[in-house]
Amino acid sequence: MGKNIVQKILEKHLVEGVYEPGKEIAIRIDQTLTQDATGTMAYLQFEAMGAPRVKTELSVSYVDHNTVQVGFENADDHKYLQSVAAKYGIIYSRAGNGICHQVHLERFGIPSKTLLGSDSHTPTGGGIGMIAIGAGGLDVAVAMAGGPFYLTCPKVIKVNLKGKLKPWVAAKDVVLKMLEIFTTKGNVGCVFEYGGEGVKTLSVPERATITNMGAECGVTTSVFPSDEITRAFLRAQGREKDWIEMIADPDANYEKEIDFDLSEIVPLTAYPHSPGNIKTVKELEGMDVDQVCLGSCTNSSYKDLMTVAHILKGKKAHPNVSFVIAPGSKQVLENIARDSGLTDLISAGARIAESACGFCIGNSQSPKTEAVSLRTSNRNFLGRSGTKSANVYLVSPETAAASVITGKMTDPSDLESKGIQYPNIQMPDNFYIDDSMFVYPPEHPEHIKIYRGPNIGDPPASLPMPDTITGEVTIKVEDQITTDHIIPAGSKMKYRSNVPKYSEFLFEVVDPNFYERAKKIRDSGKSNLFIAGLSYGQGSSREHAALCPMYMGTKAVIAKSFERIHTANLINFGIIPLTFKNDNDYNKIDQGDDIEIPHIKDIIEKGETLKVKNTSKNTEFEVEYNLSDRHREIILAGGTLAFMKNKAK
Ligand code: MIC
Ligand code: SF4
């Protein structure tokens, strides 16, 4: 039986277990990436592990999230990251060089390698034929120290692309269609592998848009073959030597296969407040638009920006629309400047923001109250834009451009009736390349002192699992609670290195009184317990969604189901993810109920049935835990760092 791409790459990197979907395996990681918002904690944890230098083939530390620098905190963190990178053999990508995923694709991605990144959109690298996976910072720190990455051996779903996109339809519309088909839940443990004749019609940045937003479906990663198109992209990046062919065998086996006709796709949008809420643009046509934001790691490539530049050439942004552009990288910005696209965009009235995450993470360009904001980014969760009452719609660059002109949600194919032809931008044969914003580590780092500003605190220590958990339900939440609900980013993100301060914002968007209540419960000696519905912990890789609850004394979360990265983060910080055996028990428990989980330590050790007592209601229900032996030991020790320390003794 032939092999698919996922199997080929994973088997080559396997260090523990056997390749069998559903079973835990461990793989060697060739490359890592971190970004500043998750990076500070990842490197503090890396330092705590005591490794003298990173052991990967390549590790890069990007600064792209917290670049607004209101106050000293961000700049302090940047300096810390730069000094750590120099000391431990990591390439440092300075603020202004661009968004980690876009830059990594351009300068470092290599087909058939493994990449682990402390950001959920690391699967962008799948566009170039890598197995690129998002994880919590602690898992990335372990990989940098030479440890393997543990994951559930994935079920591979083949997406057979045929046909060709029509003019005015984009890769963004393809992945929005994927979200309509697969939704944002129920895909944990799967990988999307793209194949078929249609693959040849998509450039690497288009493929990367599709793999990037696979994260919104909750899959472990998505991957495209590495073919002649990949080779041409690497050649244009001056890196043809990095190319290697990576295709599935003709008789490869898959868990499931779906056919996907590119020529049938029409412009789509994800309406508030989930990337899984899909409608056609036509259905919403005519809706007034207040803001249009172009950029983010999903759609900020040369092709994206040049397409918009050509559509807007000689046009002006509608007076009611605030039009913002954050180019994905310095390379993109420089190339569109050299090819005159930047002039057309500025002339149309674009507000040019830094090459960084910017608006996407809500740390700038928050829209007005109740605004309609059209964004080419990947997430439209409630409050993520920084304005809770705003309504964010995710769209393609083409739809964004059309709506900039009209001031209304507009299907871009309507532009033809206004005399605007589809630009059909081709990828350049050679990009203008300047790597001067990377700082390479010295060979002899002995003299380097790590800079620690007042914003940097030590990661809090966790406690082992107690014999019995005695706690109170601090909060009961519904289905599809994202990490943006659990701990907001945006303007609060500057406290990532200061866990006590950042914890004050837990669940802020859901319940502003959460922190005070949790503090009272913790100070009374009880544990804070959370109850949740389906797909808890969707979205980002931010480990603070587990780390801050750990700091508040949380030892267990009970949900109907969990998402992959968040599950791993909970375990890393000694919090046990429990699922209801009977989903109906969710309805029988309320916020404020006193809960006891008797003999939890003993029961987990023995792998026996776990029961939860609701002492307020005098009821009892069963919960399940799906832990490998290694997970079990980590949970009992109180988290991965404690587990590693115990092992080293
Ligand atoms: C996001 O898009 O939500 C982020 C901000 O990039 C996060 C990482 C973080 O919270 O720092 C992600 O996607 O993992
Ligand atoms: Fe940055 Fe947005 Fe991409 Fe996250 S999704 S890495 S915040 S651009």
Side-chain angles (χ1 to χ4, degrees):
M1 178 59 74
K3 292 180 181 176
N4 58 48
I5 296 172
V6 177
Q7 184 175 5
K8 284 186 185 183
I9 302 180
L10 288 183
E11 275 187 349
K12 222 174 90 200
H13 289 83
L14 205 63
V15 290
E16 269 178 51
V18 281
Y19 187 93
E20 199 181 311
K23 291 270 158 62
E24 188 179 66
I25 53 169
I27 55 167
R28 191 180 65 252
I29 294 299
D30 300 322
Q31 301 189 345
T32 62
L33 71 77
T34 56
Q35 41 89 339
D36 52 306
T38 54
T40 45
M41 201 44 73
Y43 291 111
L44 284 166
Q45 293 167 146
F46 176 78
E47 284 189 86
M49 288 170 198
R53 212 170 163 83
V54 289
K55 298 207 172 116
T56 47
E57 290 172 12
L58 174 108
S59 287
V60 191
S61 171
Y62 293 92
V63 176
D64 54 1
H65 279 61
N66 281 318
T67 58
V68 177
Q69 295 170 227
V70 180
F72 64 91
E73 292 91 346
N74 299 162
D76 272 9
D77 286 0
H78 301 170
K79 196 71 205 165
Y80 165 74
L81 291 169
Q82 185 163 0
S83 61
V84 168
K87 181 122 200 133
Y88 294 107
I90 298 154
I91 299 169
Y92 179 69
S93 174
R94 297 167 61 193
N97 201 28
I99 305 174
C100 54
H101 309 304
Q102 173 67 26
V103 179
H104 206 86
L105 199 68
E106 291 166 356
R107 306 307 302 141
F108 301 115
I110 300 182
S112 89
K113 297 269 180 194
T114 53
L115 166 69
L116 193 70
S118 62
D119 192 281
S120 64
H121 289 107
T122 305
T124 311
I128 208 168
M130 308 184 85
I131 290 291
I133 303 178
L138 183 50
D139 284 333
V140 178
V142 169
M144 286 191 288
F149 175 64
Y150 290 86
L151 73 159
T152 306
C153 183
K155 297 181 184 143
V156 184
I157 299 173
K158 166 94 179 278
V159 186
N160 252 322
L161 298 179
K162 52 181 196 169
K164 188 175 179 306
L165 291 174
K166 289 195 292 251
W168 304 106
V169 182
K172 178 58 145 273
D173 301 310
V174 174
V175 73
L176 291 176
K177 187 73 191 171
M178 284 293 286
L179 273 150
E180 185 180 73
I181 299 169
F182 285 93
T183 78
T184 61
K185 44 184 199 298
N187 304 307
V188 174
C190 298
V191 171
F192 293 143
E193 180 176 312
Y194 290 86
E197 280 301 293
V199 163
K200 283 205 290 254
T201 67
L202 299 170
S203 65
V204 166
E206 287 170 310
R207 297 174 183 187
T209 294
I210 295 169
T211 58
N212 172 289
M213 276 190 80
E216 275 48 73
C217 291
V219 290
T220 306
T221 191
S222 305
V223 66
F224 270 83
S226 167
D227 55 8
E228 286 302 320
I229 306 277
T230 322
R231 186 181 203 159
F233 176 79
L234 284 168
R235 192 182 308 126
Q237 288 290 342
R239 298 202 290 125
E240 195 175 356
K241 64 171 182 14
D242 286 339
W243 183 75
I244 164 176
E245 188 179 55
M246 178 48 69
I247 52 174
D249 293 334
D251 56 343
N253 198 19
Y254 294 92
E255 177 76 20
K256 183 169 150 187
E257 297 198 34
I258 67 155
D259 287 330
F260 194 112
D261 191 344
L262 293 170
S263 61
E264 280 177 6
I265 309 292
V266 297
L268 296 172
T269 180
Y271 61 90
H273 296 286
S274 169
N277 296 341
I278 309 295
K279 283 193 173 162
T280 63
V281 170
K282 278 266 177 249
E283 280 176 89
L284 294 170
E285 205 159 42
M287 176 178 66
D288 285 337
V289 169
D290 302 290
Q291 183 188 50
V292 174
C293 300
L294 179 65
S296 95
C297 57
T298 327
N299 276 116
S300 58
S301 68
Y302 173 89
K303 189 168 186 233
D304 290 324
L305 270 55
M306 284 305 280
T307 299
V308 174
H310 275 248
I311 296 172
L312 295 183
K313 196 176 177 63
K315 308 275 175 310
K316 300 291 171 201
H318 188 279
N320 293 344
V321 175
S322 172
F323 175 35
V324 181
I325 300 181
S329 67
K330 172 174 172 289
Q331 186 189 89
V332 168
L333 183 55
E334 215 161 348
N335 279 273
I336 65 163
R338 284 167 183 267
D339 293 351
S340 306
L342 184 60
T343 316
D344 294 329
L345 293 168
I346 294 172
S347 168
R351 303 170 64 182
I352 307 296
E354 202 175 351
S355 290
C357 298
F359 69 83
C360 175
I361 196 51
N363 66 10
S364 57
Q365 300 293 343
S366 296
K368 76 169 186 52
T369 307
E370 291 174 5
V372 167
S373 175
L374 266 47
R375 299 177 166 217
T376 64
S377 45
N378 44 35
R379 291 183 174 148
N380 57 348
F381 302 143
L382 179 71
R384 182 173 162 104
S385 67
T387 305
K388 195 172 167 186
S389 65
N391 289 306
V392 175
Y393 294 76
L394 307 177
V395 296
S396 70
E398 287 79 349
T399 300
S403 307
V404 163
I405 298 172
T406 60
K408 296 184 186 305
M409 178 77 108
T410 304
D411 184 311
S413 62
D414 291 357
L415 293 178
E416 288 196 353
S417 63
K418 292 187 168 30
I420 302 174
Q421 294 311 308
Y422 179 63
N424 205 6
I425 299 295
Q426 298 304 310
M427 294 285 287
D429 291 336
N430 291 297
F431 288 98
Y432 175 78
I433 294 159
D434 168 15
D435 284 338
S436 59
M437 293 289 274
F438 293 112
V439 183
Y440 281 80
E443 248 174 59
H444 297 287
E446 297 79 18
H447 63 284
I448 290 174
K449 270 195 72 168
I450 294 188
Y451 174 87
R452 286 174 218 279
N455 193 41
I456 308 265
D458 285 335
S462 68
L463 296 172
M465 183 58 75
D467 292 334
T468 289
I469 293 181
T470 311
E472 183 176 327
V473 177
T474 331
I475 193 158
K476 179 177 173 184
V477 288
E478 300 173 358
D479 290 351
Q480 285 170 273
I481 288 296
T482 71
T483 54
D484 277 285
H485 291 102
I486 303 171
I487 190 96
S491 60
K492 316 296 169 7
M493 209 161 49
K494 67 180 183 181
Y495 299 120
R496 285 282 174 94
S497 318
N498 181 345
V499 173
K501 178 73 192 163
Y502 196 35
S503 299
E504 291 176 19
F505 306 106
L506 273 165
F507 286 106
E508 193 194 37
V509 68
V510 183
D511 176 356
N513 302 322
F514 173 88
Y515 174 71
E516 282 312 318
R517 217 166 46 238
K519 198 161 152 286
K520 246 196 209 148
I521 294 173
R522 182 194 58 190
D523 295 348
S524 73
K526 285 196 288 190
S527 181
N528 279 292
L529 257 133
F530 310 158
I531 303 294
L534 284 169
S535 195
Y536 181 72
Q538 281 193 356
S540 86
S541 69
R542 70 188 66 143
E543 59 191 356
H544 292 76
L547 180 54
C548 295
M550 175 194 95
Y551 174 73
M552 297 308 292
T554 300
K555 278 286 171 203
V557 178
I558 310 176
K560 289 185 189 167
S561 69
F562 291 88
E563 288 297 306
R564 175 187 66 89
I565 307 181
H566 190 57
T567 306
N569 285 336
L570 287 172
I571 295 171
N572 275 344
F573 293 100
I575 300 174
I576 186 163
L578 299 171
T579 47
F580 291 100
K581 180 155 190 219
N582 176 356
D583 277 359
N584 201 27
D585 288 327
Y586 169 88
N587 302 322
K588 300 181 190 155
I589 188 164
D590 291 307
Q591 187 173 306
D593 282 357
D594 278 318
I595 298 292
E596 218 184 88
I597 315 184
H599 314 300
I600 181 162
K601 188 163 170 263
D602 221 36
I603 291 173
I604 297 171
E605 245 165 7
K606 295 188 184 131
E608 291 172 351
T609 305
L610 195 57
K611 288 191 179 141
V612 175
K613 276 190 179 161
N614 183 337
T615 47
S616 299
K617 297 210 161 65
N618 220 356
T619 52
E620 195 177 68
F621 59 94
E622 266 182 43
V623 286
E624 292 179 329
Y625 51 96
N626 182 9
L627 302 175
S628 65
D629 291 347
R630 194 181 55 88
H631 284 152
R632 208 174 295 192
E633 282 186 58
I634 293 174
I635 287 283
L636 293 174
T640 295
L641 279 182
F643 167 74
M644 287 171 79
K645 272 194 198 130
N646 292 352
K647 269 197 128 176
K649 273 185 202 156

